Amino acid sequence: MIHTALAWHPQAPLQPLTLPWLHVAGVEVAILRLDLIDPLISGNKWFKLREHLHCAVQQGATGLMSLGGAHSNHLHALAAAGQRFGFATVGLLRGHAQQTPTVQDLQAFGMHVHWLGYAGYRERHQAGFWQPWQAQYPGLYPIAEGGGGLAGTVGCADIVTLARNQLAGLGWRDYHGWWLAAGTGTTLAGLVRAEAGAHPVYGALAVPADHGVAENVAALVEHAGSGYQLIDASRGGFARTDARLLAFIAQSEAHSGVPLEPLYTGKALLALHDAVSEGRFAPGTRLIFIHTGGLQGHRP
Ligand SMILES: *Cc1c(COP(=O)(O)O)cnc(C)c1O
């Protein structure tokens, strides 16, 4: 049942992140390990799903359907939640049938998977896209790609609460800002809304600036430009990696013991490294870095 999922309030540890370059700069970082909220439902996607689940319950839906690629963290979280809490899930996938570890999991979790091809997937924004799927799966509530929109921001307020409840354990009375990877910017917008200007939110963009993230965030936060900054961390393209990034990730993992992946969390940490190296944060600055998960999408 979908409503049993809404009663689940996962915990995520807030841990000191110890890396030599932070130490040198006198910048303190705590990492909120959303990758550890659950063995199967990992990262920020659960928080983005919450309000969609709430809407589904209100409409009396018996399950949910959504869209994504063959490595989608969003579909993975949705399918895992469906299995855990006992509701039906349907995934509409981009491209042609292929077996990835993600797709294997989706099917093992009981998600009904349909491959739309590339042309079919491009139609996802058109009016009437969902009609045939709703006819085929009556009672299933549709979520747009990535679980974004205003509904996607609402549950992200829980991320702020999760971290704030653990500050005392770190000996922190306060903090000076958030640093996290942004794809659509929905999670970032949720934090900005929850903070209401109290602390700045720095978004390390995993996609190039021309992907409309700035516009998406501006539309989702109440006051344009309030309390956030976007930093290009994409390294030339989503899913593009390079030797410097991969070496940095390996080194960071070895030093900190925190697993990273190269599309979001690795790029976000490298962008933080560069900002700290440029002296952007004064000694004594305390930042919360959000580990947004994504490890499932990067299995061999
Ligand atoms: C989806 C995702 C993001 C981006 O979240 P948005 O809300 O789209 O900005 C960041 N990190 C990981 C690991 C993700 O899977």
Side-chain angles (χ1 to χ4, degrees):
M1 302 292 283
I2 304 169
H3 69 258
T4 53
L6 292 172
W8 183 53
H9 293 280
Q11 298 299 311
L14 180 68
Q15 307 168 337
L17 183 66
T18 43
L19 289 164
W21 46 272
L22 288 171
H23 187 74
V24 166
V27 173
E28 283 185 73
V29 174
I31 182 167
L32 184 65
R33 300 285 305 273
L34 297 186
D35 58 314
L36 297 179
I37 62 170
D38 182 86
L40 296 178
I41 309 170
S42 173
N44 60 333
K45 297 301 185 282
W46 165 257
F47 300 91
K48 294 175 72 175
L49 276 173
R50 251 194 90 82
E51 184 65 12
H52 291 289
L53 298 180
H54 192 84
C55 296
V57 168
Q58 283 182 330
Q59 295 201 4
T62 54
L64 294 102
M65 50 185 168
S66 195
L67 297 139
H71 303 275
S72 169
N73 296 323
H74 163 66
L75 287 182
H76 196 269
L78 178 63
Q83 186 190 52
R84 170 80 49 85
F85 299 108
F87 58 84
T89 57
V90 168
L92 307 179
L93 278 96
R94 177 177 58 233
H96 305 292
Q98 56 167 313
Q99 272 320 96
T100 63
T102 304
V103 170
Q104 265 163 25
D105 279 357
L106 299 183
Q107 290 167 332
F109 294 151
M111 178 176 258
H112 290 266
V113 167
H114 296 271
W115 295 90
L116 302 193
Y118 290 97
Y121 197 80
R122 272 195 294 276
E123 286 166 22
R124 67 195 179 280
H125 300 304
Q126 289 183 7
F129 171 82
W130 288 104
Q131 255 166 29
W133 297 108
Q134 286 182 300
Q136 185 173 344
Y137 295 105
L140 262 57
Y141 182 89
I143 308 176
E145 186 182 45
L150 202 52
T153 67
V154 176
C156 295
D158 287 358
I159 298 174
V160 174
T161 310
L162 261 180
R164 283 190 184 162
N165 286 343
Q166 298 179 73
L167 291 177
L170 290 179
W172 289 18
R173 285 187 31 227
D174 201 2
Y175 54 99
H176 300 102
W178 298 87
W179 192 283
L180 77 158
T184 62
T186 307
T187 307
L188 173 135
L191 295 179
V192 172
R193 292 171 66 92
E195 283 282 1
H199 301 95
V201 184
Y202 301 94
L205 292 179
V207 298
D210 63 3
H211 275 51
V213 184
E215 291 79 0
N216 186 46
V217 174
L220 292 174
V221 303
E222 238 128 53
H223 310 285
S226 67
Y228 69 92
Q229 278 178 41
L230 302 178
I231 297 106
D232 186 355
S234 70
R235 311 191 70 72
F238 179 64
R240 192 169 295 178
T241 63
D242 51 67
R244 181 174 174 231
L245 173 70
L246 299 177
F248 174 80
I249 289 174
Q251 217 171 53
S252 304
E253 288 181 330
H255 272 126
S256 67
V258 177
L260 301 166
E261 46 67 54
L263 306 195
Y264 292 104
T265 50
K267 284 183 177 176
L269 190 61
L270 179 51
L272 176 61
H273 166 274
D274 291 351
V276 166
S277 305
E278 287 160 14
R280 184 159 178 168
F281 296 107
T285 301
R286 289 174 165 167
L287 297 173
I288 302 174
F289 181 99
I290 303 181
H291 193 310
T292 43
L295 301 169
Q296 74 77 26
H298 210 74
R299 290 170 287 178

